[in-house]
């Protein structure tokens, strides 16, 4: 009897050790951790997993659930101009990730990639015209003779296979019949050429150590190019995944990951401060719009997502405190084959500060890496 118990105990210990070695948290499946990687580091088949999953979500309606909630938030609550900005976008990307995983089979362990848009700065310096992101299966600029329609012009997908409701662009291209409108990208958009170098963004992450200053800079200076019209564009989620990466770097480089979020974050206004300015004339807000902006305030979501049984917010309340830490949501950014960490200067500026629960550091085989650990 004793030997049987000891044998069972030994097996249990072995299993727990294996779980620890492979980074599996107790209570979660082996693919629960979301290892987010640079879009350009993915193989074509890995990129296609995202593209095909995106199209499937359009077909089954879940993409519409998510984007309707974003559209309602951005038009009604002006959340970009409050302390909600990082956290709402972060959760919508997480819900998108969940939705693709729910497709099952090859999608079961899907992790959201991110678009390091700083390589567009290098492209412009090399005199290349077509944005790099437009050369990776996501379509490019639209047809100048057909209301900048992307479908079947620079993207081998019909409007019936993937459509976007009318937003900033008109629904007047061939075969458009509102709300089944083709994706549009204006080829006269020069915003891609105005994206800055990795070093510029890295410097801001270091210099803007105050939460309000950093987030307001992100809102004003780190925006999507105008031609990426709305959250029905597949590039939108890649962009906001990188936005979460940058926020995570900011938290780590300033040692805010060391704060006990549940107990002590209130005592660190530099790490988080609620704000909302309804008197700012250019954003058309009232005091009634300033909701959910403090750590323990329930976030307000409108649109379809709260009504869907598959979504987290259908039966759960969220607040900023719950969303502050990426590891709490089993998200970790893999910095192997990632150029930004090194070219931004953060590999040296934040030396010995990167929390391994937030980021997987580059291994020593990276030629640009000079021994971070």
């Amino acid at each position: 009897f004793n030997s049987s118990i000891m044998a069972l105990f030994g097996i249990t210990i072995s299993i727990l050790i294996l779980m620890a070695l492979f980074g599996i948290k107790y209570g979660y499946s082996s693919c629960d951790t979301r290892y987010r990687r640079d879009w350009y580091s993915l193989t074509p088949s890995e990129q296609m997993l995202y593209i095909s999953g995106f199209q499937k979500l359009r077909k089954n309606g879940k993409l519409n659930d998510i984007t309707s909630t974003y559209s309602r938030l951005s038009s009604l609550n002006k959340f970009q101009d409050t302390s909600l900005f990082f956290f709402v976008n972060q959760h919508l990307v997480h819900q998108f990730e969940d939705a693709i995983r729910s497709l099952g089979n090859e999608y079961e362990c899907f992790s959201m990639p991110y678009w390091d848009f700083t390589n567009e700065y290098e492209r412009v310096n090399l005199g290349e015209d077509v944005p790099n992101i437009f050369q990776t299966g996501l379509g490019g600029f639209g047809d100048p003779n057909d209301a900048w329609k992307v479908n079947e012009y620079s993207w081998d997908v019909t409007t019936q296979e993937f459509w976007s409701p009318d937003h900033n662009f008109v629904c007047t291209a061939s075969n458009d019949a509102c709300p089944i409108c083709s994706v549009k990208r204006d080829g006269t958009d020069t915003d891609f050429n105005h994206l800055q170098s990795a070093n510029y963004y890295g410097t801001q992450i270091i210099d803007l150590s105050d939460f309000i200053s950093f987030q307001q800079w992100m809102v004003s200076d780190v925006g999507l190019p105008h031609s990426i019209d709305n959250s029905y564009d597949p590039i939108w989620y890649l962009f906001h995944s990188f936005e979460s990466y940058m926020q995570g770097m900011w938290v780590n480089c300033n040692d805010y990951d060391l704060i006990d979020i549940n107990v002590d974050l209130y005592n660190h206004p530099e790490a988080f401060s609620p704000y909302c300015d309804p008197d700012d004339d250019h954003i058309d807000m009232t005091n009634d719009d300033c909701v959910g902006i403090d750590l323990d305030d329930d976030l307000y979501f409108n649109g379809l997502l709260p009504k869907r049984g598959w979504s987290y917010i259908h039966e759960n309340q969220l607040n900023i405190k719950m969303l502050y830490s990426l590891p709490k949501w089993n998200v970790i950014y893999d910095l192997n084959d990632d150029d930004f960490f090194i070219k931004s200067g953060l590999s040296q500026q934040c030396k010995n500060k990167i929390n391994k629960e937030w980021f997987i550091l580059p291994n020593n085989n990276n030629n640009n890496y000079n021994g971070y650990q």
Side-chain angles (χ1 to χ4, degrees):
F1 177 74
N2 288 337
S3 61
S4 297
I5 293 177
M6 291 302 294
L8 182 60
F9 178 75
I11 292 171
T12 302
I13 292 298
S14 298
I15 292 172
L16 291 173
I17 290 172
L18 285 172
M19 290 174 69
L21 287 173
F22 286 95
I24 303 171
K25 295 183 180 179
Y26 179 76
Y28 294 101
S29 67
S30 60
C31 66
D32 185 80
T33 302
R34 298 150 193 262
Y35 298 98
R36 295 184 177 175
R37 297 165 54 205
D38 184 355
W39 176 251
Y40 296 109
S41 75
L42 304 183
T43 65
S45 61
E46 289 171 331
Q47 291 178 340
M48 185 51 64
L49 192 70
Y50 171 74
I51 296 169
S52 63
F54 193 85
Q55 291 177 246
K56 286 178 183 292
L57 295 192
R58 189 65 182 103
K59 186 175 182 179
N60 70 17
K62 287 187 176 181
L63 180 65
N64 192 59
D65 295 341
I66 297 169
T67 55
S68 72
T69 294
Y70 174 79
S71 297
R72 295 285 289 176
L73 280 165
S74 59
S75 61
L76 293 181
N77 283 27
K78 309 291 184 181
F79 78 96
Q80 297 99 325
D81 300 286
T82 74
S83 47
L84 292 170
F85 177 74
F86 281 144
F87 310 103
V88 168
N89 284 332
Q90 173 189 319
H91 183 65
L92 293 180
V93 170
H94 194 276
Q95 288 278 258
F96 176 85
E97 204 168 31
D98 273 348
I100 288 190
R101 286 179 163 222
S102 72
L103 296 171
N105 297 321
E106 68 267 34
Y107 300 99
E108 184 179 5
C109 296
F110 171 81
S111 293
M112 186 66 214
Y114 59 90
W115 169 40
D116 174 7
F117 50 76
T118 63
N119 63 40
E120 299 296 344
Y121 175 83
E122 298 180 7
R123 172 190 59 81
V124 172
N125 285 342
L126 293 172
E128 299 173 0
D129 294 329
V130 181
N132 293 325
I133 193 67
F134 285 172
Q135 302 177 57
T136 58
L138 298 168
F141 286 124
D143 184 349
N145 299 313
D146 195 8
W148 300 112
K149 177 181 176 180
V150 173
N151 301 73
E152 299 182 276
Y153 179 74
S154 61
W155 195 24
D156 189 23
V157 176
T158 67
T159 303
Q160 287 66 39
E161 290 172 323
F162 191 91
W163 67 97
S164 171
D166 178 27
H167 190 235
N168 289 332
F169 293 112
V170 294
C171 191
T172 57
S174 58
N175 299 318
D176 278 2
C178 193
I180 310 300
C181 311
S182 53
V183 176
K184 311 294 195 305
R185 292 187 188 140
D186 187 343
T188 64
D189 177 21
T190 61
D191 287 353
F192 278 94
N193 297 341
H194 297 155
L195 295 169
Q196 300 294 318
S197 68
N199 183 259
Y200 165 76
Y201 296 106
T203 298
Q204 301 306 306
I205 287 172
I206 295 299
D207 289 350
L208 299 175
S209 59
D210 174 73
F211 170 78
I212 295 178
S213 298
F214 178 66
Q215 184 171 260
Q216 289 184 338
W217 166 75
M218 288 282 286
V219 171
S220 63
D221 284 23
V222 190
L224 272 165
H226 174 70
S227 59
I228 309 303
D229 179 40
N230 59 35
S231 49
Y232 285 93
D233 193 303
I235 296 175
W236 191 93
Y237 294 89
L238 297 171
F239 170 84
H240 284 289
S241 181
F242 189 52
E243 179 182 78
S244 288
Y245 169 117
M246 295 176 77
Q247 180 207 5
M249 275 291 168
W250 176 82
V251 169
N252 277 244
C253 291
N254 289 288
D255 290 331
Y256 300 151
D257 59 303
L258 304 179
I259 299 171
D260 186 327
I261 295 171
N262 293 318
V263 176
D264 208 28
L265 191 54
Y266 276 112
N267 297 320
H268 293 273
E270 69 280 8
F272 175 80
S273 292
Y275 70 90
C276 179
D277 186 4
D279 298 321
D280 189 336
D281 292 336
H282 84 280
I283 60 175
D284 188 28
M285 290 183 70
T286 69
N287 278 309
D288 292 337
D289 292 315
C290 296
V291 295
I293 63 171
D294 212 340
L295 284 174
D296 288 308
D297 293 349
D298 288 341
L299 297 191
Y300 170 78
F301 289 92
N302 206 328
L304 297 174
L305 196 57
K307 302 174 183 178
R308 302 300 188 232
W310 66 270
S311 76
Y312 181 87
I313 56 177
H314 179 68
E315 295 184 345
N316 298 281
Q317 292 292 341
L318 273 177
N319 57 46
I320 291 173
K321 184 188 290 183
M322 295 170 64
L323 293 167
Y324 196 88
S325 172
L326 292 175
K328 178 181 175 64
W329 297 88
N330 300 304
V331 170
I332 186 167
Y333 281 86
D334 187 348
L335 302 183
N336 287 289
D337 301 315
D338 166 87
D339 289 334
F340 180 80
F341 183 56
I342 295 163
K343 291 182 177 180
S344 65
L346 295 176
S347 62
Q348 294 304 309
Q349 292 276 6
C350 305
K351 198 164 188 174
N352 301 321
K353 291 188 173 186
I354 301 301
N355 189 325
K356 293 180 183 179
E357 292 187 359
W358 292 64
F359 295 94
I360 298 176
L361 293 170
N363 61 51
N364 291 323
N365 294 325
N366 189 317
N367 291 329
N368 294 322
Y369 183 65
N370 60 356
Y372 183 84
Q373 293 171 294

